[in-house]
Amino acid sequence: MDSPVTDSAGTPPEPDPRADDEPPTASPGADGDDTAADGAEAAGAGTQEAGADEAAKAKAEAVPDEATAETNKAEGEADAKAEASEIPDDPAVLPAADGDNPDADAPRRRHWLRWTALGTSVVVLAASGVGWWFYQKLDNNITTDTTAEAELRTYEKERPKPIAVDAKNILLIGSDTRSGEGNGKYGRDDGGSQRSDTTILLHLAADRQSATAVSIPRDLMVEIPSCQTSDGKRSRKQSAQFNWAFQFGGTACAVRTVEKLTGIRVDHHMVVDFSGFKDMVDAVNGVEVCLKKPVDDSDAHLKLPAGKQTLTGEEALGFVRARKTIGDGSDTERMERQQQFLGSLVKKVQSNGILLNPTRLYPVLDAATKSLTTDPGLNTLRDLYDLARGLRNVPTEKVQFLTVPRQPYVNDPNRDELVQPDAGELFTQLRKDEPVSVVPAGQERNSGNEQGDTQRDEESPKTDEKPDDMGPSSATPTPTFPGTNAAAGLCE
């Protein structure tokens, strides 16, 4: 049989469509020898490929398949997890962590992390709730005097303007009212009448590096303006002793009287009653005093031996109120005793770290807020905290106490009047937020006396040398007045 005829001798035949699937077969013809040779070569290649497949199959039977090994490993891990899930959550029966397999402890770690987070959240929420309850309780203790605020706004145009930015002037009034819980035993309550038993103008320097408390005698003769009374009427303008202002028109009348007397703007006011004072002393576990002689004063409910001792709240109240049985019986000496006692109280609060210890601070704040009546600018715990924080870092020797310069009233020796120009100088210094200093009575400078000048010279070293370009010295000596400071204490 003849071979197929091609279109061109040089053109190869079309490839067999089965070439990729089946080995080629020899076909006779002119090129039969070559074709046969090619077929034999292809047959040999096929035989080699078949041998290679047989070898690979034998090797696969001898060596485990990698996929099978991975499958077996995954099945083993699943079994281990199933066994781990059967372990109870009780930590007492948990096995020790497997160092070779850290993933085995992952469920337990997540379990304890969840419980720790939950416990921490509960504690934080509980603490926040308790803290908020205490805050609200203290906040609600404070009484706001809106009547005084309205009266002062009515007379805003006649009030002094503040001069020193950030300096604060606070009028502290100790009320002798017999009304209210615990106050009745100190005397009869005549229809709720009250007078200012103690009045102190507290000046806080703008830099909060000093505090000056100036006592205003209750018997000091002053000009009291026309004030609105508790029954809605108005009192007449008159010259009278200072503590009548509080009786006539309450806090607003006392504030306006002080501002007319001193020219100093009163920024805030606080009124404290007898019970509140006692509770604050008890909250700091008493205040130490020293008595040269025993005291027995039925009017002040006070009976004490001589010597050093710590007074409770009830005893402390009698101590600062007594007049007839301690010293010469004058109101002047009583004010000095009050100043010394307050200095000892401040010293104890600062030295014992009460302001930095919430556990010890809370009873003091509770006692203070229960007894306080304030203006709207100081009627929250936050306001009082900011005030206390400003006082916290004032050195005790810079917490000063003094009384306005005064002398017996010319028309009645049982009353007082201001000594000028000393009183005016004191008021000017405070109004401008400029410093004053205090020294024990007898060492002060009164109208430029020689002894006071010597005191200042000892405190400030002299120097006659000045730089050529500085000119004459313009430094003004710090005015000095009789008084005390919190560092001195009652027993020093």
Side-chain angles (χ1 to χ4, degrees):
M1 183 175 174
D2 296 335
S3 60
V5 179
T6 60
D7 295 335
S8 174
T11 303
E14 292 292 333
D16 190 340
R18 297 173 300 170
D20 295 334
D21 299 327
E22 299 178 1
T25 57
S27 55
D31 298 326
D33 294 338
D34 294 337
T35 305
D38 293 338
E41 184 177 357
T47 303
Q48 291 177 357
E49 291 176 1
D53 292 339
E54 290 295 331
K57 182 177 181 181
K59 182 178 180 181
E61 292 175 352
V63 180
D65 187 271
E66 292 180 0
T68 304
E70 292 295 331
T71 302
N72 292 340
K73 181 179 179 181
E75 292 176 352
E77 291 177 351
D79 293 340
K81 292 181 179 180
E83 292 176 359
S85 64
E86 296 176 359
I87 298 176
D89 290 341
D90 188 350
V93 297
L94 285 176
D98 185 0
D100 296 333
N101 187 11
D103 291 339
D105 289 333
R108 293 194 293 275
R109 287 198 298 270
R110 289 193 296 269
H111 171 77
W112 283 107
L113 285 173
R114 285 195 299 270
W115 276 106
T116 301
L118 178 61
T120 302
S121 301
V122 170
V123 171
V124 170
L125 289 174
S128 300
V130 172
W132 178 250
W133 182 86
F134 280 131
Y135 184 92
Q136 288 294 99
K137 181 178 183 296
L138 294 174
D139 230 25
N140 293 333
N141 282 346
I142 305 171
T143 301
T144 305
D145 189 351
T146 55
T147 302
E149 181 70 11
E151 175 81 353
L152 292 173
R153 281 200 304 267
T154 301
Y155 292 94
E156 179 61 36
K157 291 183 178 180
E158 70 178 34
R159 299 181 64 193
K161 302 300 180 183
I163 295 178
V165 178
D166 293 331
K168 295 295 181 185
N169 298 296
I170 305 170
L171 192 64
L172 308 176
I173 301 174
S175 170
D176 67 355
T177 180
R178 270 59 173 180
S179 62
E181 183 180 353
N183 293 320
K185 63 183 178 180
Y186 300 107
R188 186 178 61 190
D189 177 22
D190 297 325
S193 64
Q194 58 181 349
R195 293 182 183 177
S196 52
D197 191 68
T198 300
T199 303
I200 295 175
L201 180 61
L202 176 63
H203 174 78
L204 303 180
D207 61 5
R208 298 300 189 267
Q209 293 302 303
S210 66
T212 304
V214 181
S215 294
I216 301 176
R218 57 184 292 166
D219 296 331
L220 182 68
M221 297 302 294
V222 297
E223 291 295 323
I224 301 177
S226 174
C227 298
Q228 182 174 338
T229 60
S230 58
D231 58 2
K233 300 179 182 180
R234 301 202 68 83
S235 64
R236 63 181 178 85
K237 180 180 177 180
Q238 58 190 293
S239 176
Q241 61 190 63
F242 172 72
N243 67 338
W244 284 17
F246 192 66
Q247 182 182 11
F248 289 160
T251 305
C253 194
V255 168
R256 292 176 59 210
T257 301
V258 169
E259 290 182 339
K260 285 183 175 295
L261 177 71
T262 65
I264 298 172
R265 170 79 174 212
V266 175
D267 301 297
H268 300 289
H269 62 261
M270 295 183 185
V271 180
V272 184
D273 61 21
F274 290 157
S275 293
F277 177 83
K278 291 190 308 179
D279 291 343
M280 281 188 284
V281 173
D282 284 334
V284 299
N285 297 323
V287 175
E288 188 177 72
V289 300
C290 293
L291 297 176
K292 297 179 180 179
K293 299 179 180 179
V295 176
D296 189 355
D297 190 328
S298 58
D299 291 341
H301 301 271
L302 185 65
K303 188 174 183 178
L304 298 171
K308 181 184 293 187
Q309 55 205 289
T310 299
L311 301 186
T312 63
E314 185 74 34
E315 295 167 338
L317 179 60
F319 179 77
V320 298
R321 293 184 65 239
R323 298 180 66 176
K324 301 175 182 178
T325 57
I326 302 180
D328 60 9
S330 67
D331 192 50
T332 297
E333 185 168 295
R334 185 177 73 150
M335 283 187 296
E336 293 175 354
R337 189 166 63 250
Q338 290 172 349
Q339 294 167 3
Q340 291 171 345
F341 185 88
L342 290 175
S344 294
L345 177 60
V346 170
K347 185 177 182 180
K348 182 165 187 180
V349 169
Q350 287 194 346
S351 63
N352 287 13
I354 293 175
L355 294 176
L356 301 177
N357 187 335
T359 303
R360 302 193 64 187
L361 179 60
Y362 176 78
V364 178
L365 290 176
D366 188 40
T369 53
K370 282 180 180 177
S371 65
L372 284 182
T373 299
T374 74
D375 64 278
L378 281 180
N379 68 340
T380 68
L381 189 62
R382 177 72 186 187
D383 296 327
L384 293 177
Y385 172 76
D386 289 342
L387 178 64
R389 184 175 59 180
L391 289 170
R392 184 174 63 194
N393 296 324
V394 178
T396 52
E397 64 272 12
K398 289 296 184 180
V399 180
Q400 304 178 128
F401 299 89
L402 66 151
T403 304
V404 296
R406 83 275 185 227
Q407 63 189 9
Y409 182 43
V410 64
N411 295 324
D412 185 351
N414 294 318
R415 301 289 181 263
D416 291 329
E417 64 182 3
L418 294 179
V419 172
Q420 296 295 0
D422 295 7
E425 186 177 21
L426 171 63
F427 300 150
T428 298
Q429 292 295 108
L430 298 180
R431 184 166 55 248
K432 294 182 177 180
D433 192 33
E434 295 180 354
V436 300
S437 62
V438 298
V439 293
Q443 298 183 21
E444 73 278 4
R445 176 182 64 86
N446 285 321
S447 301
N449 69 31
E450 186 174 331
Q451 187 174 11
D453 292 337
T454 303
Q455 173 73 19
R456 290 195 312 279
D457 291 342
E458 292 176 354
E459 294 176 354
S460 303
K462 295 180 181 179
T463 176
D464 294 329
E465 299 180 2
K466 295 186 290 292
D468 294 337
D469 58 344
M470 293 296 291
S473 174
S474 59
T476 302
T478 300
T480 307
F481 301 91
T484 187
N485 61 58
L490 278 166
C491 297
E492 298 178 6

